[in-house]
Amino acid sequence: MRATDDDTVVDGRVTSVLTIAGSDSGGGAGIQTDLKTFAAHGVHGLSAIAALTAQNTRGVSAVHAPDVGFLRAQIDACFEDFDVRAVKLGMLATAGIIHAVTDALEHWKPAALVIDPVMVATSGAKLLADDALDALRTRLLPMATVLTPNLPEAELLLGRRIAPGADADRSLAELLEFGSHAVLLKGGHLAEGEVIDRFGSGVLRAAFRSPRLPVEGHGTGCTLASAIAANLALGESPQQACRLGTGFIAGALAAGYRPGRGEVVVLDPFWRFHKA
């Protein structure tokens, strides 16, 4: 489906999806990959920058958070003009930013909200202060159409370790208690032979399986959450949006490339257009 289809046009405006996240100067994650993923799904991408990072394929050297008033102005400008069908949230570094974003979303009431809870660095370091983590749990998570934590993020939210297999299955019910409509527990960090992304929504349960590739991908969480948001904007159910999103990410990772001197692979959101 493309944004030019009749059912995705309102008053001449094509479907738009808004990302509220951090900017990656290296172009492999955050706002940059969100916008590429939206474009690959045929929807118009909007952005409100919640953090500026100085980073490349070898790491992050500096982070700057904009004034929350300016962040709110970016969000308001998008909703005032565009047909925003879905919102994707990424890096929200402070409690003040989380409260500002929540206030804006409560005002504008988007139809679909995908939260990628960026809380743990690749090194394992916790990125959120305790007050920010509490604000995320109590204010934002109950608004989510789909919450997409990886294993370290889910463990931080639940305050306990999660083991592969049945324990990971059980953790979906616990994560849903935060109030999100649906949860996709990503399987990349779980020690299982293949990647198993577990979906839960009330009584619905599903497992999306894909081969585990011998590469370290950069921006996988951002790309997946953005693909889910785009599919929700195009009218898919949360379960189908997650199914399509996990298939999309598998293809984007398989087509990944190395633009920098680091070992990480940057995903290619346009992989479907390169196929013969």
Side-chain angles (χ1 to χ4, degrees):
M1 184 182 293
R2 295 185 55 82
T4 51
D5 290 347
D6 290 344
D7 59 351
T8 59
V9 177
V10 175
D11 297 330
R13 297 176 301 166
V14 300
T15 294
S16 296
V17 184
L18 168 64
T19 171
I20 306 173
S23 169
D24 173 6
S25 56
I31 292 284
Q32 284 78 2
T33 199
D34 294 343
L35 294 175
K36 287 186 284 186
T37 300
F38 297 157
H41 284 80
V43 297
H44 180 65
L46 310 170
S47 64
I49 299 176
L52 298 166
T53 70
Q55 68 174 294
N56 52 35
T57 60
R58 293 183 288 184
V60 180
S61 57
V63 177
H64 173 72
D67 174 79
V68 294
F70 181 70
L71 174 58
R72 176 61 189 263
Q74 294 178 77
I75 298 170
D76 289 346
C78 291
F79 277 99
E80 287 167 355
D81 191 32
F82 300 94
D83 177 29
V84 181
R85 299 283 185 92
V87 176
K88 177 259 179 179
L89 301 184
M91 180 181 179
L92 306 176
T94 69
I97 288 174
I98 291 172
H99 287 302
V101 169
T102 306
D103 290 344
L105 295 178
E106 287 177 344
H107 174 77
W108 291 106
K109 297 179 175 57
L113 175 64
V114 179
I115 299 179
D116 178 21
V118 181
M119 301 185 294
V120 182
T122 302
S123 64
K126 181 179 167 185
L127 296 177
L128 289 185
D130 288 341
D131 61 340
L133 179 57
D134 182 64
L136 177 69
R137 285 194 186 108
T138 59
R139 294 207 65 197
L140 267 182
L141 297 194
M143 301 176 66
T145 306
V146 181
L147 172 67
T148 64
N150 60 26
L151 179 65
E153 291 158 352
E155 290 179 335
L156 187 58
L157 285 170
L158 296 177
R160 71 170 184 85
R161 299 296 299 273
I162 299 174
D167 187 42
D169 295 335
R170 285 191 295 269
S171 71
L172 283 174
E174 297 176 53
L175 290 165
L176 284 166
E177 290 178 1
F178 290 112
S180 300
H181 175 77
V183 173
L184 182 70
L185 176 61
K186 296 177 288 192
H189 290 80
L190 282 163
E192 297 171 310
E194 58 186 338
V195 176
I196 304 175
D197 297 310
R198 292 169 167 85
F199 174 87
S201 173
V203 297
L204 293 176
R205 292 289 187 274
F208 310 127
R209 302 170 183 268
S210 57
R212 188 174 295 275
L213 301 177
V215 296
E216 181 183 352
H218 180 51
T220 53
C222 306
T223 306
L224 175 57
S226 295
I228 293 170
N231 280 296
L232 288 172
L234 292 171
E236 302 292 353
S237 68
Q239 181 174 346
Q240 181 65 359
C242 288
R243 183 185 302 277
L244 293 170
T246 56
F248 178 83
I249 200 77
L253 184 57
Y257 56 94
R258 288 179 53 194
R261 295 187 175 91
E263 294 298 318
V264 298
V265 168
V266 170
L267 278 65
D268 181 4
F270 300 104
W271 63 275
R272 291 180 297 193
F273 301 98
H274 304 325
K275 296 181 69 174

